[in-house]
Amino acid sequence: MKNKLGYLYDTYFMNVYHHDEMTNIHQVQLEALIQIMIMAVLLLAIIIYKKQQMTLGTVMLVYLLLSYMINPLMKISVFIAMHDELQIIFERYKEMLPEKRDRKKKIKKIKSIELKHVSFSYGYTRPLFDHFQLKIERSLFIQGKTGSGKSTLLKLIMNQLQPTKGEIVINGINLQELDLNSYYSHIKYLNKTPVFYKESLRTNMIFDRLFLEDKMIELLHYFMLDDLVNGLDLKLDEQGGFLSSGQGQLVMIIRALLSEPDVLILDEAFSNIDQERLQLLINYLNFQKIIVIIVSHQINMMNCQFDCVIIDSGKIVGEEDYGNRFST
């Protein structure tokens, strides 16, 4: 938006410069034309006067009337130039207005996410996904090798990437038909890199929703982060300040849980969390009435509460294709 505004301002001032230049040329031409017309009319009046068909007073009256026409004609010329300039301003203003969009559908609760024959490729490379199908109605653990398409799958679900073919359906509605603000208010995505604001730890977790403070403190105690309760007023920087990498990831997860999403996506979001707190997290998520989608290389996180999908080269594979990774 900053670059677009800069471009519009530069274009506007350049157009104003060109119009001022054209206005000056037009005014010179108009004044020259008026002077020529005055000379022609005076010459004609003198000829008529010499033929004694017009008095000298009438000749002077004609000259005065013609001279009075100069100023109005100049103003008309300026008005025409201003009209063009205002037209340019209006056109630039219209470019800054948001495009008229079709009314999007809103959702109250995400109950299912389905990928129907989804195909996707980066540029002109071989498709990473080709007619990929997956329906998510309960918590899911996604396993796969590096580069198998796990993170790309999550980005497609988050609408950060759009499929080249097929569709992503939320509660039976195409994702492209949904109001994204409504969609994002029900789904949260976290990766391994926490995002912080230059505010206090309390503000980073609950913002201005002070009614969530008791719940926040309860979760901090549950995840054995009692030291942070006394540091809620300490200010963080964009890297998390005094928080360790594991604490930073837990703080982001707590912040997401406090917003009570219908779907929580964790893309290696607990890679730096110790095993004890990780087990507490899994136990907590098991009792939440939300869909949790986890991508992690930590296979020991598997439990009977989660469905499991193994992805290899953009396809869902079975144990016989991938190896006996999960005995369950």
Side-chain angles (χ1 to χ4, degrees):
M1 178 59 73
K2 181 180 179 182
N3 291 336
K4 184 176 182 180
L5 289 175
Y7 168 77
L8 292 177
Y9 280 124
D10 291 341
T11 306
Y12 166 70
F13 287 120
M14 185 59 68
N15 284 325
V16 169
Y17 170 77
H18 289 311
H19 273 75
D20 287 344
E21 189 177 29
M22 292 300 295
T23 300
N24 291 334
I25 294 173
H26 289 162
Q27 287 182 346
V28 171
Q29 293 174 345
L30 182 61
E31 189 169 353
L33 180 62
I34 292 172
Q35 295 298 336
I36 292 172
M37 289 175 60
I38 290 175
M39 295 297 295
V41 171
L42 283 177
L43 183 60
L44 180 61
I46 290 171
I47 293 173
I48 296 174
Y49 171 71
K50 285 187 176 181
K51 291 182 179 181
Q52 296 183 347
Q53 295 178 356
M54 184 184 294
T55 63
L56 183 60
T58 305
V59 173
M60 295 302 296
L61 179 62
V62 170
Y63 174 78
L64 288 173
L65 289 175
L66 289 174
S67 63
Y68 288 147
M69 289 174 60
I70 295 176
N71 195 41
L73 287 173
M74 288 294 185
K75 289 185 177 180
I76 290 173
S77 175
V78 172
F79 173 76
I80 293 172
M82 287 181 63
H83 172 268
D84 291 341
E85 289 181 12
L86 291 174
Q87 188 69 27
I88 293 171
I89 295 174
F90 180 66
E91 290 299 325
R92 297 297 176 267
Y93 171 72
K94 286 198 297 184
E95 289 183 19
M96 295 170 62
L97 291 176
E99 296 179 3
K100 186 177 180 181
R101 299 173 181 172
D102 297 331
R103 190 179 182 87
K104 298 285 189 176
K105 298 177 182 178
K106 295 185 178 182
I107 54 175
K108 294 182 179 179
K109 182 178 179 63
I110 298 177
K111 297 179 180 178
S112 68
I113 300 172
E114 185 174 5
L115 289 83
K116 293 184 175 181
H117 299 283
V118 167
S119 297
F120 176 80
S121 62
Y122 288 99
Y124 296 99
T125 59
R126 182 177 63 84
L128 181 58
F129 292 107
D130 189 17
H131 294 281
F132 184 88
Q133 296 196 82
L134 175 65
K135 188 170 186 179
I136 304 171
E137 293 180 304
R138 62 195 297 263
S139 294
L140 178 69
F141 185 91
I142 301 176
Q143 177 67 21
K145 300 174 184 177
T146 302
S148 59
K150 304 185 299 297
S151 294
T152 300
L153 173 63
L154 300 183
K155 289 178 180 179
L156 286 167
I157 293 174
M158 290 300 296
N159 200 46
Q160 295 176 4
L161 298 172
Q162 283 74 43
T164 52
K165 291 181 182 178
E167 60 179 355
I168 298 173
V169 178
I170 310 298
N171 296 352
I173 305 171
N174 192 308
L175 178 56
Q176 301 306 316
E177 298 176 8
L178 287 178
D179 178 78
L180 289 181
N181 288 330
S182 171
Y183 180 57
Y184 289 141
S185 66
H186 293 275
I187 186 169
K188 300 301 176 191
Y189 169 86
L190 296 176
N191 59 21
K192 63 182 178 181
T193 306
V195 177
F196 298 99
Y197 305 100
K198 293 182 177 180
E199 298 288 346
S200 67
L201 176 59
R202 177 185 282 102
T203 301
N204 267 277
M205 297 180 73
I206 61 174
F207 301 101
D208 58 348
R209 301 169 297 175
L210 297 180
F211 61 92
L212 291 174
E213 184 157 354
D214 290 341
K215 181 67 174 178
M216 173 189 66
I217 293 175
E218 178 186 333
L219 286 174
L220 287 173
H221 286 309
Y222 175 81
F223 289 112
M224 298 189 297
L225 296 174
D226 302 81
D227 293 343
L228 299 185
V229 175
N230 298 324
L232 289 174
D233 294 320
L234 297 178
K235 192 171 182 179
L236 302 180
D237 55 22
E238 294 174 349
Q239 285 72 42
F242 59 89
L243 298 177
S244 68
S245 56
Q247 287 176 330
Q249 288 183 336
L250 272 174
V251 165
M252 291 297 96
I253 292 173
I254 292 173
R255 180 168 74 181
L257 290 172
L258 287 172
S259 64
E260 298 183 346
D262 299 328
V263 178
L264 176 61
I265 299 177
L266 302 175
D267 185 7
E268 299 288 353
F270 37 74
S271 56
N272 297 314
I273 298 176
D274 62 78
Q275 192 61 40
E276 187 177 6
R277 290 183 174 87
L278 184 56
Q279 190 59 52
L280 288 173
L281 173 62
I282 297 303
N283 292 340
Y284 185 86
L285 294 176
N286 283 338
F287 290 99
Q288 302 307 303
K289 296 180 179 180
I290 62 176
I291 297 173
V292 183
I293 302 174
I294 295 178
V295 168
S296 175
H297 291 93
Q298 296 171 269
I299 303 175
N300 56 350
M301 289 183 55
M302 286 297 301
N303 61 77
C304 60
Q305 301 294 327
F306 285 72
D307 289 338
C308 174
V309 166
I310 305 172
I311 296 179
D312 188 21
S313 300
K315 296 179 181 179
I316 296 178
V317 297
E319 292 183 9
E320 63 277 6
D321 300 315
Y322 198 73
N324 189 16
R325 297 290 298 279
F326 305 111
S327 59
T328 58

